[in-house]
Amino acid sequence: VKVIRTPLCLAMGKSRIVAGSLGAVALALAGAFPWFRPSNVQEGLPPWLVEDLRTDHAGETGAVWIYHGVLAVATDPKLREFAEHHRDTESKHLTIIEGLLDYPGRSKLLPVWRVAGFLTGALPALLGPAAVYRTIDSVETYVDYHYQYQVDRLQNMTQFEDLRATLMACQADEVEHRDQARDAGGPGREETAPRVWDEIVRVGSMTAIGIARVI
């Protein structure tokens, strides 16, 4: 049986290799330089939950900067209105998470997440509104899964009922953003180039979350 390796398959394979390599490097650095790791100690929270909130804080930081990137480049009035509205929502999310996670527990790589977010917004914006909507769709699809994992993890933990409700509210906003971007993006979702970009964005988001968990 002859295996045909399409450009999409090759791109997916390479992106996963890169993600795995970056994750391994992050773990190695965290092990070699423990002083560089954020604190997992916060009163009232188990270490695993501090790590979860750290990923949320890093993610919301990146999200705000995605829209900064879009607005730095985009000229289309409808897209700019979309980006401004969503940036305001993501800024509110970031403020909420900052109220839940003490400064020592936050990622040491916040400048990196800001730059990565800015580029994730600005680069598609150079190609036009459709590319931006596609990117937001991809990012928010992953964010939905990410928040759902945390919400499920907190189920039946009565001491964290309020926190779970807060995360669910943030998740609902992200799903709304995904659906709005999907509706605005129109056809073309099965074309090869956009699918490759989807994979790059998805794996990039997954890698960033994994690294933020430890650094």
Side-chain angles (χ1 to χ4, degrees):
V1 178
K2 184 178 180 180
V3 177
I4 300 176
R5 299 186 182 275
T6 66
L8 176 61
C9 291
L10 291 173
M12 288 181 174
K14 290 179 180 178
S15 63
R16 286 169 183 155
I17 290 172
V18 171
S21 299
L22 290 174
V25 169
L27 287 172
L29 288 173
F33 304 102
W35 50 267
F36 191 63
R37 297 190 65 170
S39 173
N40 284 340
V41 178
Q42 181 170 323
E43 185 178 357
L45 299 178
W48 61 265
L49 188 49
V50 174
E51 290 183 348
D52 278 358
L53 290 174
R54 181 183 307 127
T55 66
D56 295 339
H57 183 263
E60 297 295 351
T61 298
V64 169
W65 280 84
I66 285 176
Y67 293 111
H68 283 321
V70 173
L71 291 167
V73 175
T75 58
D76 179 80
K78 180 181 177 182
L79 176 58
R80 290 189 63 83
E81 181 181 2
F82 172 93
E84 288 170 355
H85 173 68
H86 287 203
R87 181 190 58 187
D88 290 346
T89 303
E90 301 295 359
S91 295
K92 291 176 183 177
H93 290 178
L94 181 57
T95 299
I96 290 170
I97 301 300
E98 285 178 341
L100 297 171
L101 181 66
D102 292 344
Y103 183 82
R106 299 173 189 175
S107 173
K108 302 290 188 179
L109 300 178
L110 288 178
V112 175
W113 309 139
R114 294 185 185 106
V115 172
F118 185 89
L119 292 175
T120 302
L123 292 178
L126 291 171
L127 301 178
V132 174
Y133 294 134
R134 178 79 186 221
T135 299
I136 299 304
D137 184 349
S138 298
V139 169
E140 299 292 22
T141 295
Y142 178 76
V143 172
D144 177 30
Y145 293 142
H146 175 71
Y147 270 125
Q148 188 61 51
Y149 168 78
Q150 295 182 353
V151 167
D152 290 344
R153 200 175 189 186
L154 292 172
Q155 191 172 16
N156 300 323
M157 295 187 182
T158 56
Q159 70 273 36
F160 298 125
E161 283 182 354
D162 290 344
L163 173 58
R164 186 170 185 266
T166 297
L167 296 180
M168 290 176 68
C170 291
Q171 180 189 20
D173 288 339
E174 308 293 1
V175 170
E176 183 180 17
H177 290 181
R178 180 201 66 196
D179 292 345
Q180 290 174 348
R182 187 168 296 178
D183 291 342
R189 297 191 54 79
E190 298 308 317
E191 297 175 8
T192 297
R195 289 174 65 200
V196 171
W197 178 244
D198 277 355
E199 179 67 10
I200 292 172
V201 171
R202 187 188 70 81
V203 173
S205 300
M206 180 174 60
T207 302
I209 291 300
I211 293 174
R213 186 172 291 277
V214 296
I215 297 181

